[in-house]
Amino acid sequence: MFDRLALARGAGAPDSIAMSWLEGEATFGQLAQDVGRVSSALFQLRTLMPSVVAIRYEHPYRHWILVLALARLGLPSASLPGHVDANFHRAVDILTPDIVLLDQPTEGNFSQSLVLDENWFEHVCSIGKELDEIIPVLPDDVLRLSLAGGTGHTTKRIALTARYVETAIYHLVFQDLVSQKYREGDLRVLPTLGAETSSGFLVILAALAAGTRLQMLTAAQLGLVFSQKTPTVAVVSPRQIEAILSQLPPGMAPLPELYLTIAGGKLPSTLRDSICQMLTPNVQVVYGADECGVVTVAQSDPQISDDVVGQVLPWVGLQIVDEQGSPVPAGSTGTVRVCGTGVVDGYHNDPDATAAQFKNGWFYPGDRGFLDLEGNLHLVGRTDALVSFGGDKFDLDALDERLLGCAGVKDGAMFVVPDRQGVAAPWVALVTDVDFKLDELSTWMREIFPNLPDVTVVWISAVPRLESGQPDRVALLKAVQSS
């Protein structure tokens, strides 16, 4: 059970801090006790035999008490987004949970919901009885369901077995040992990836298993870590690090005790230089996906090109193949595919989507690239219309479809323009009615795509199109660059 793995190292140091948040902190001993008491209080959920129990809690500590308690009970869990928006309802529809645990009454398409508020937690964690029964869990039992939306046009469901979670934790801890310079000490890990994804979920579990302190902050609170002088590890996207840099006080000296891992996109050299000059010289880039974990790691180096995402990790098999699935020589561009113990078997109860991206033991993340003679992976594009806006991936065709449904829009197309740091940013070319109101378009788009970053708008007389009828996004980019 991954709850025991997460708490094992902390058991030897129960007074060390396991998790802190803006209003408080909890030791490993307190976390273990709270997990035991909450799992005992929820024991009757086992009689309902749910296929998945979803969790929606804004408070990070209570959220993770529930995650670990459900694991102790042998019940599969899933995390829902903290904000109730289009992403939340989409997650509920995809996960189809039998039971949803909530911190407050929430509208949604739930089969059954259970509100466990602050008073319930305080009561159970203060006087509740700890669970003394050990629930047997087999290696191939599914203990976690997660969402994966970065390698296809639609978000899909991934089922993680006890064996997979344990292996993935070992991978992350070993990767950390061989790729980073920090070692023992008052190490704090700042996770920013959502727990609803397998990547965000596993990063937090691995940090607990390593006995480190998790510092749970919202995006608006990220600046707080820079007033701390103890070693900090932060996993951030290019978009998040741009926001952090914009919040730094003028003249602040770089922090040699801060270690950044950039995930969710390539690291442009301009942004890399800004990080080193303003924040920290300790930067690494990781490439991977929720379906396969981390695939490559690259240490920041001014001598390498922007498209390099690093060396392949030792437990990963990676090939570049042509359209027939045959490996191509070093330096030749093709489709990236990976295999290994970090790759899931497929998408849960979705044979069509599985067949499209999992073939003959290989997972195809949808990226194109090449391996150089030194074994570095270079990413050069996608095999589909997905684009990463600083970490979050979007389907440009789906954005166009939504855009064209907005009242007052006669024609339009989304396209990509690198910002001043070299990070891909969303732009839109519009043909609209004279009385068109731009704020209505913003509301319209974010009803479906709440994570869409701020979009730069240009008005044009006609959208250039290819012979296929698709927007000519390259022409739109060149028009912006030339102007």
Side-chain angles (χ1 to χ4, degrees):
M1 290 181 287
F2 64 71
D3 64 295
R4 289 188 294 183
L5 185 58
L7 298 173
R9 184 168 181 185
D15 294 331
S16 62
I17 302 300
M19 188 177 295
S20 61
W21 54 98
L22 191 61
E23 304 89 359
E25 61 185 23
T27 64
F28 273 96
Q30 183 67 50
L31 176 59
Q33 176 181 285
D34 290 344
V35 169
R37 291 180 174 181
V38 168
S39 58
S40 178
L42 297 179
F43 186 81
Q44 291 304 314
L45 289 181
R46 285 182 51 82
T47 63
L48 301 177
M49 301 179 64
S51 60
V52 59
V53 180
I55 304 166
R56 187 271 176 187
Y57 274 74
E58 289 193 63
H59 196 289
Y61 182 64
R62 296 185 194 122
H63 186 114
W64 276 92
I65 288 175
L66 290 171
V67 171
L68 297 174
L70 291 172
R72 182 159 298 183
L73 294 171
L75 297 176
S77 70
S79 294
L80 295 171
H83 297 290
V84 180
D85 54 19
N87 286 339
F88 173 86
H89 294 293
R90 189 179 296 119
V92 171
D93 291 341
I94 295 169
L95 292 168
T96 60
D98 299 306
I99 302 170
V100 179
L101 303 181
L102 302 163
D103 53 356
Q104 57 186 335
T106 305
E107 293 185 4
N109 185 26
F110 311 137
S111 298
Q112 185 174 349
S113 62
L114 182 62
V115 176
L116 308 176
D117 59 15
E118 181 178 356
N119 293 330
W120 184 90
F121 268 93
E122 289 183 355
H123 176 76
V124 169
C125 293
S126 60
I127 66 172
K129 178 183 177 182
E130 290 197 45
L131 183 68
D132 54 10
E133 180 177 351
I134 297 178
I135 309 298
V137 175
L138 299 177
D140 293 325
D141 287 350
V142 173
L143 285 185
R144 183 71 176 178
L145 277 86
S146 296
L147 300 176
T151 56
H153 297 282
T154 58
T155 303
K156 306 173 199 65
R157 188 166 60 172
I158 295 176
L160 307 181
T161 64
R163 187 198 309 273
Y164 181 91
V165 173
E166 180 180 331
T167 302
I169 291 174
Y170 293 152
H171 285 173
L172 285 170
V173 172
F174 181 77
Q175 171 204 323
D176 188 64
L177 287 174
V178 300
S179 66
Q180 289 286 22
K181 303 173 185 176
Y182 53 76
R183 285 297 178 262
E184 297 296 331
D186 186 15
L187 188 66
R188 295 174 296 118
V189 175
L190 178 66
T192 63
L193 306 176
E196 63 270 19
T197 67
S198 61
S199 298
F201 163 74
L202 291 169
V203 163
I204 291 177
L205 275 185
L208 288 172
T212 58
R213 177 196 300 204
L214 283 158
Q215 191 163 11
M216 312 298 281
L217 299 176
T218 65
Q221 300 165 350
L222 288 177
L224 293 176
V225 300
F226 308 127
S227 63
Q228 308 292 330
K229 298 303 180 184
T230 50
T232 301
V233 181
V235 183
V236 295
S237 69
R239 183 65 61 187
Q240 287 171 326
I241 197 62
E242 279 193 306
I244 291 171
L245 292 177
S246 69
Q247 298 170 12
L248 296 179
M252 190 188 85
L255 304 175
E257 69 277 2
L258 177 63
Y259 296 84
L260 287 182
T261 294
I262 309 297
K266 295 182 290 187
L267 181 61
S269 57
T270 303
L271 179 56
R272 179 194 63 218
D273 294 343
S274 296
I275 296 171
C276 293
Q277 293 168 10
M278 301 172 62
L279 189 55
T280 178
N282 309 310
V283 183
Q284 70 173 7
V285 178
V286 298
Y287 163 70
D290 289 315
E291 294 91 336
C292 60
V294 178
V295 173
T296 65
V297 176
Q299 300 302 323
S300 178
D301 185 347
Q303 305 303 316
I304 63 175
S305 60
D306 289 7
D307 60 5
V308 172
V309 290
Q311 296 270 337
V312 180
L313 290 167
W315 53 84
V316 177
L318 184 144
Q319 288 183 340
I320 308 297
V321 298
D322 58 23
E323 294 181 358
Q324 288 72 44
S326 300
V328 300
S332 299
T333 298
T335 299
V336 178
R337 70 179 184 184
V338 297
C339 67
T341 53
V343 179
V344 299
D345 293 333
Y347 298 115
H348 190 235
N349 295 337
D350 194 341
D352 292 338
T354 298
Q357 291 185 251
F358 294 84
K359 303 173 184 178
N360 301 319
W362 294 89
F363 168 62
Y364 291 73
D367 292 306
R368 290 180 56 77
F370 66 90
L371 289 168
D372 61 27
L373 293 175
E374 287 73 38
N376 293 300
L377 176 62
H378 300 243
L379 295 182
V380 299
R382 294 282 303 176
T383 61
D384 51 28
L386 286 187
V387 61
S388 175
F389 290 135
D392 290 322
K393 287 188 172 65
F394 296 87
D395 182 345
L396 292 178
D397 292 337
L399 291 173
D400 284 350
E401 182 179 357
R402 178 66 178 175
L403 169 71
L404 296 174
C406 182
V409 175
K410 295 181 177 179
D411 199 4
M414 301 289 301
F415 61 107
V416 181
V417 177
D419 64 16
R420 293 181 180 180
Q421 299 280 13
V423 178
W427 284 54
V428 62
L430 288 177
V431 181
T432 64
D433 292 338
V434 176
D435 57 351
F436 178 74
K437 293 187 172 94
L438 194 57
D439 57 346
E440 294 180 2
L441 175 62
S442 177
T443 301
W444 172 259
M445 295 298 292
R446 285 188 170 81
E447 285 178 359
I448 303 299
F449 303 102
N451 290 349
L452 185 66
D454 290 340
V455 180
T456 302
V457 180
V458 293
W459 275 268
I460 58 177
S461 58
V463 174
R465 295 190 178 273
L466 304 171
E467 291 184 4
S468 63
Q470 284 285 97
D472 190 340
R473 307 187 202 275
V474 174
L476 290 168
L477 170 61
K478 291 181 177 179
V480 169
Q481 292 174 330
S482 64
S483 63

